[in-house]
RNA sequence: GGAGAGGUGGCCGAGUGGUCUAAGGCGCACGCCUGGAAAGUGUGUAUACUUCAAAAGGGUAUCGAGGGUUCGAAUCCCUCUCUCUCCGCCA
């Protein structure tokens, strides 16, 4: 949620920035300013009204104590009139506040300075690429065929017990999952992150805090009986740990890492994008989250990008980093780097991580603040990134490392897997 | 699932209709005291909105949430919610 003050002070600038995200904000910004004026006018009237009523009430107390019941009755009538007016003012104030809030949560986050205007993934800017694209032997196949051949991931069994998008990992496939999770967590801890294990279900307030609710609730699984949502990413519970807090600058930065299963309905996806491990309803991910002072967040974004880069290097995967254009960025993000690995048998880049700076967008929703030198409350900045999401890493590892005699496991993982080849 | 007890400031905890502008304690900040520290001692210490050019100051709201009674509610009534204890079930 954007800060009201920003919109109030620079409405045209806000509209201009949102244009980079191809979002026409002029009508909504106009609405917000209109509601703001009415809200403040009404609040002023109501406050004056209540101040008068409060004062009269106090006088009645004294009059009763002094035994002057007659004068007290007179005042009572006066207060009754004030109350009547107050009720009407209160109702109006509430409707203005609601109108303003509803308009405010419709606005996406403003893109940061380096973000370019663009309409789709085509317009994203490749800022880095490294690692040799492997040349596979003749007869190399996509990962879903490999999974089948070596019996390590069973998509059919998942269909049987749950449905499409819920694969079953088996034998060395299961072991590889566990190895990757441990490797990613250990690397996070080495980089100074504190490990957490969050709940996999969250309440509505948490969904709102990180920006999944309202409006994107059709992307989350919902547990009807208890009004809980299955998390689409550990970002949601881990960031919301700090909801409604005022932190001390000395506590910052907060650096957390968490493994969790992630659940996504992925409504509307289809085709080759969803084949095999490319898009799942349930998958595993290690997530890094940072909370920083405002002047640190852009450097922190680069630091997090470096961390993820290091992981991809150690896994010996060819990868590239793209800076998302305005049109491809998420609702809540101010800037996002996508990390993509090359999947040699599918001959395409697969997104395995998204590292974003949300600046104050989430913290404003969560009321996550700190005290500055003057003792004023200010919003903190939140960031997060996948480090890393498993399925597409597994897809790339399987495809890129396949040989005629089996699938080679990268050196760095072998102490975790306990084996060097899948055959 | 059943029964009961609770939710008060950063924390603990008092408060059953008007001086609550929330006692007291702990913690924290800044002083005093001290050679330095501890102890002692003094002062200060919630959030949001709003008013104001700004600062100072002021106003309104907030004692889990929402509604109600009343001139007046932390306090009385209703609904919801969360926590704890016991029973049941159970990894």
């Amino acid at each position: 949620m954007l800060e009201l003050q920003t919109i109030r002070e620079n409405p045209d600038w806000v509209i201009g920035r949102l244009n980079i995200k191809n979002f026409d904000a002029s009508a909504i910004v106009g609405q917000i300013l209109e509601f703001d004026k009415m809200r403040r006018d009404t609040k002023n009237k109501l406050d004056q009204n209540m101040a008068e009523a409060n004062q009269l009430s106090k006088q009645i107390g004294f009059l009763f104590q002094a035994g002057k019941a007659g004068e007290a009755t007179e005042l009572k009538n006066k207060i009754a009139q004030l109350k009547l007016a107050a009720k009407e003012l209160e109702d109006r104030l509430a409707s203005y506040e609601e109108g303003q809030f509803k308009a405010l949560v419709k606005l996406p986050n403003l893109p940061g300075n380096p973000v370019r205007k663009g309409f789709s993934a085509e317009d994203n800017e490749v800022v880095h690429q490294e690692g040799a694209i492997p040349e596979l032997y003749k007869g190399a196949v996509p990962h879903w065929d490999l999974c089948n051949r070596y019996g390590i991931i069973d998509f059919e069994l998942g269909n049987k017990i749950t449905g499409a998008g819920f694969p079953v990992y088996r034998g060395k496939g299961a072991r590889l999952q566990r190895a990757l999770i441990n490797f990613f967590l250990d690397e996070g801890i080495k980089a100074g992150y504190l490990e957490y294990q969050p709940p996999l279900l969250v309440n509505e307030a948490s969904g709102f805090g990180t920006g999944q609710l309202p409006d994107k609730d059709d992307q989350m699984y919902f547990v009807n009986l208890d009004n809980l949502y299955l998390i689409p990413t550990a970002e949601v519970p881990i960031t919301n740990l700090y909801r409604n807090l005022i932190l001390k600058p000395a506590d910052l930065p907060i650096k957390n890492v968490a493994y969790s299963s992630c659940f996504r309905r992925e409504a509307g996806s289809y085709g080759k994008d969803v084949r095999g491990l490319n898009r799942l309803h349930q998958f595993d991910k290690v997530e890094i989250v940072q909370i920083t002072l405002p002047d640190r967040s852009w450097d922190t974004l680069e630091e997090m990008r470096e961390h993820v880069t290091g992981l991809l290097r150690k896994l010996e995967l060819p990868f590239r980093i793209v800076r998302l254009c305005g049109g491809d960025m998420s609702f809540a993000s101010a800037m996002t780097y996508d990390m993509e690995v090359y999947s040699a048998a599918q001959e395409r880049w697969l997104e395995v991580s998204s590292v974003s700076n949300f600046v104050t967008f989430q913290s404003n929703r969560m009321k996550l603040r700190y005290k500055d030198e003057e003792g004023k409350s200010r919003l903190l900045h939140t960031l997060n990134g996948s480090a890393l999401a498993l399925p597409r890493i597994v897809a790339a590892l399987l495809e890129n490392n396949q040989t005629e005699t089996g699938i080679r496991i990268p050196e760095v993982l072998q102490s975790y897997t306990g084996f060097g080849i899948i055959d």
Side-chain angles (χ1 to χ4, degrees):
Chain A
M1 188 161 68
L2 296 180
E3 290 166 82
L4 182 57
Q5 202 184 350
T6 311
I7 298 171
R8 200 188 277 161
E9 287 170 2
N10 304 298
D12 294 331
W13 179 75
V14 168
I15 292 168
R17 294 307 295 169
L18 285 179
N19 180 45
I20 292 170
K21 279 192 168 179
N22 309 311
F23 188 94
D24 181 3
S26 47
I28 295 176
V29 166
Q31 256 179 37
I32 289 170
L33 294 178
E34 209 171 300
F35 275 125
D36 195 45
K37 183 172 171 6
M38 294 191 292
R39 180 183 65 84
R40 291 159 86 176
D41 283 354
T42 311
K43 167 120 172 89
N44 276 334
K45 284 184 194 145
L46 178 64
D47 283 358
Q48 280 173 30
N49 182 308
M50 291 309 289
E52 198 178 335
N54 286 343
Q55 214 185 359
L56 293 177
S57 280
K58 245 173 222 172
Q59 286 179 30
I60 288 179
F62 292 121
L63 288 173
F64 271 123
Q65 279 167 16
K68 299 176 181 169
E71 289 179 40
T73 310
E74 232 172 87
L75 286 185
K76 276 192 196 177
N77 291 335
K78 216 167 170 185
I79 291 175
Q81 282 178 12
L82 286 172
K83 285 280 176 174
L84 217 61
K87 179 73 188 141
E88 197 252 340
L89 288 169
E90 265 171 19
D91 290 347
R92 270 170 51 196
L93 181 62
S95 83
Y96 296 149
E97 278 173 349
E98 192 192 344
Q100 187 173 39
F101 177 77
K102 280 190 172 163
L104 206 49
V105 297
K106 277 186 201 153
L107 292 180
N109 199 2
L110 306 180
N113 279 331
V115 176
R116 290 188 195 166
K117 189 172 168 72
F119 297 90
S120 71
E122 309 284 300
D123 304 317
N124 292 340
E125 180 191 354
V126 177
V127 295
H128 182 80
Q129 180 171 339
E130 75 174 69
I133 306 292
E135 299 213 1
L136 300 182
Y137 72 98
K138 205 173 158 71
V141 294
H143 68 269
W144 46 85
D145 289 334
L146 294 167
C147 289
N148 210 25
R149 181 184 303 166
Y150 296 107
I152 49 175
I153 302 178
D154 196 321
F155 296 97
E156 296 302 316
L157 263 183
N159 286 343
K160 175 184 173 185
I161 58 170
T162 307
F166 293 91
V168 175
Y169 303 87
R170 179 167 51 204
K172 285 184 174 174
R175 193 94 185 256
L176 178 59
Q177 292 284 115
R178 195 148 54 83
L180 283 166
I181 293 163
N182 282 328
F183 168 64
F184 292 147
L185 282 172
D186 285 351
E187 291 295 309
I189 292 165
K190 271 191 226 162
Y193 291 86
L194 180 64
E195 184 180 349
Y196 273 83
Q197 260 192 46
L200 302 182
L201 286 83
V202 293
N203 56 28
E204 190 185 345
S206 295
F208 177 78
T210 31
Q212 281 74 24
L213 295 175
D215 297 340
K216 277 169 281 300
D217 47 338
D218 61 341
Q219 291 299 326
M220 285 192 289
Y221 289 98
F222 181 58
V223 182
N224 202 18
L225 276 176
D226 296 295
N227 283 316
L228 295 171
Y229 296 85
L230 273 71
I231 59 171
T233 157
E235 161 198 348
V236 179
I238 296 298
T239 313
N240 273 283
L241 296 173
Y242 303 90
R243 174 149 44 84
N244 272 319
L245 289 186
I246 298 179
L247 300 175
K248 298 191 188 103
D251 299 332
L252 300 162
I254 303 277
K255 296 179 72 174
N256 292 340
V257 61
Y259 154 71
S260 84
S261 291
C262 302
F263 306 90
R264 299 186 182 181
R265 295 191 58 236
E266 301 290 3
S269 305
Y270 59 89
K272 69 177 162 63
D273 283 354
V274 306
R275 191 86 197 266
L277 293 169
N278 288 349
R279 178 154 299 167
L280 302 174
H281 289 306
Q282 177 182 328
F283 63 96
D284 296 291
K285 179 160 65 64
V286 171
E287 181 81 0
I288 49 176
V289 171
Q290 289 214 39
I291 298 171
T292 73
L293 290 168
D295 61 346
R296 295 285 314 136
S297 69
W298 293 105
D299 287 344
T300 300
L301 181 66
E302 298 304 316
E303 174 203 317
M304 291 169 75
R305 169 185 149 179
E306 274 310 304
H307 177 70
V308 179
T309 301
L311 297 177
L312 294 171
R313 267 185 206 133
K314 287 182 183 170
L315 290 174
E316 303 163 39
L317 289 169
F319 67 94
R320 65 180 192 183
I321 304 171
V322 302
R323 175 165 30 227
L324 298 192
C325 70
D328 203 29
M329 271 166 63
S330 75
F331 184 76
S333 174
M335 185 158 117
T336 298
Y337 287 118
D338 270 5
M339 325 292 273
E340 301 176 338
V341 297
Y342 193 74
S343 187
Q346 296 185 74
E347 297 181 330
R348 55 189 288 222
W349 295 93
L350 298 177
E351 180 195 332
V352 291
S353 176
S354 212
V355 185
S356 303
N357 186 1
F358 301 92
V359 295
T360 59
F361 195 81
Q362 291 181 329
S363 57
N364 192 29
R365 289 172 159 238
M366 289 193 295
K367 302 293 167 239
L368 165 55
R369 292 157 296 176
Y370 74 104
K371 291 272 190 200
D372 69 9
E373 296 85 358
E374 292 168 2
K376 283 198 171 172
S377 297
R378 304 226 178 263
L379 294 170
L380 286 163
H381 285 195
T382 61
L383 306 97
N384 65 56
S386 344
L388 284 160
L390 267 69
R392 295 175 192 159
I393 289 287
V394 171
L397 284 177
L398 297 180
E399 292 185 13
N400 294 8
N401 298 332
Q402 61 182 303
T403 68
E404 288 174 59
T405 52
I407 300 164
R408 187 180 60 79
I409 299 296
E411 195 78 31
V412 73
L413 282 181
Q414 292 185 12
S415 62
Y416 288 95
T417 54
F419 54 84
I421 192 159
I422 296 174
D423 50 13

